[in-house]
């Protein structure tokens, strides 16, 4: 897979260090509580698995599926959600775990929906933040890395469902997605 990347933006060691720091920060902030961590599938799965093990607290886990990209490199703008969390989040300290905030549409949509459903508190933890492309006004409470406007894959992030298992975060060579778009 490395040959499909133009550059490595974040390697596995840098990611691991930062994920440990985020885990420590969440551990301090939620001392005495049992937060409910919600993994927003599929992109967050790798980050989520590492983050939960960096948190030294009792936590509970839930999963929901959100998708807005289809097989394009640019968000379609329409957020599709599959979830049955309504009762499980009521009265809970919820942390939404995302791999990336790009336009912000996905997290803005989920946040607004959860706030209506009576969570006790709601924070967002995103490994990556791409502020240049923001359309919806949202900010994460915990951010791993702020990145430039490049199409990145790996560590859970995909192009057309591929590269999620690449252990680093790389910038895909343009010909890799331009070819598929023809
Ligand atoms: C990606 C990513 C975020 C969202 C961010 O999900 O995992 O959920 O897009 O983009 P936004 O800020 O512009 O909404 P995607 O729809 O590609 O689904 P996936 O997680 O299954 O890859």
């Amino acid at each position: 897979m490395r040959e499909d990347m133009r550059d490595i933006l974040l390697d596995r060691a840098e990611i691991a260090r930062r994920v440990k720091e985020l885990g420590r920060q969440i551990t301090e902030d939620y001392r005495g509580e049992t937060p409910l961590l919600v993994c927003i599938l599929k992109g967050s799965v790798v980050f989520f698995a590492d983050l939960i093990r960096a948190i030294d607290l009792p936590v509970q886990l839930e999963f929901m599926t959100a998708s807005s990209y289809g097989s394009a490199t640019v968000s379609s703008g329409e957020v599709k959600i599959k979830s049955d969390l309504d009762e499980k989040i009521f009265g809970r300290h919820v942390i939404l775990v995302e791999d990336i905030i790009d336009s912000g549409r996905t997290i803005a949509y989920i946040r607004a929906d959860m706030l209506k459903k009576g969570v006790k508190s709601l924070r967002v933890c995103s490994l990556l933040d791409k502020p240049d492309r923001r359309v919806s006004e949202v900010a994460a409470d915990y951010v791993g890395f702020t990145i430039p406007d490049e199409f990145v894959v790996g560590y859970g992030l995909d192009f057309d469902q591929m590269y999620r298992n690449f252990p680093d975060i790389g910038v895909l060579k343009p010909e890799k997605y331009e070819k598929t778009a023809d």
Side-chain angles (χ1 to χ4, degrees), residues 16-173:
R17 267 196 304 276
R18 188 69 188 119
V19 172
K20 287 212 173 74
E21 287 172 7
L22 290 170
R24 268 198 297 273
Q25 187 65 55
I26 290 171
T27 303
E28 280 172 29
D29 293 352
Y30 287 84
R31 184 84 58 203
E33 306 289 349
T34 302
L36 181 69
L37 279 91
V38 178
C39 176
I40 303 177
L41 295 167
K42 304 174 189 159
S44 301
V45 67
V46 181
F47 175 44
F48 193 77
D50 286 342
L51 181 69
I52 59 173
R53 288 175 293 171
I55 298 173
D56 187 15
L57 290 174
V59 298
Q60 289 178 326
L61 312 180
E62 290 294 345
F63 298 84
M64 66 190 292
T65 300
S67 64
S68 62
Y69 277 67
S71 59
T73 56
V74 180
S75 170
S76 66
E78 187 200 350
V79 182
K80 293 191 185 118
I81 303 288
K82 275 207 301 214
S83 140
D84 60 351
L85 295 186
D86 293 12
E87 286 166 26
K88 294 172 183 161
I89 61 174
F90 182 81
R92 299 298 306 270
H93 291 293
V94 173
I95 305 175
L96 294 173
V97 180
E98 261 290 24
D99 53 333
I100 185 166
I101 302 180
D102 193 345
S103 73
R105 285 192 183 101
T106 303
I107 208 69
Y109 184 93
I110 296 171
R111 248 188 125 258
D113 189 56
M114 286 199 169
L115 285 170
K116 280 189 278 185
K117 289 175 177 154
V119 293
K120 195 165 182 185
S121 72
L122 184 59
R123 285 188 179 159
V124 174
C125 177
S126 185
L127 178 67
L128 304 177
D129 186 12
K130 211 192 258 186
D132 293 350
R133 291 172 45 95
R134 203 70 100 246
V135 173
S136 298
E137 272 306 308
V138 281
D141 302 278
Y142 305 96
V143 172
F145 303 93
T146 300
I147 62 163
D149 185 11
E150 306 257 35
F151 190 71
V152 290
V153 296
Y155 197 71
L157 290 102
D158 74 308
F159 168 62
D160 209 5
Q161 302 302 329
M162 302 301 285
Y163 304 106
R164 293 195 198 272
N165 60 327
F166 186 60
D168 306 308
I169 293 178
V171 179
L172 200 57
K173 285 180 181 162

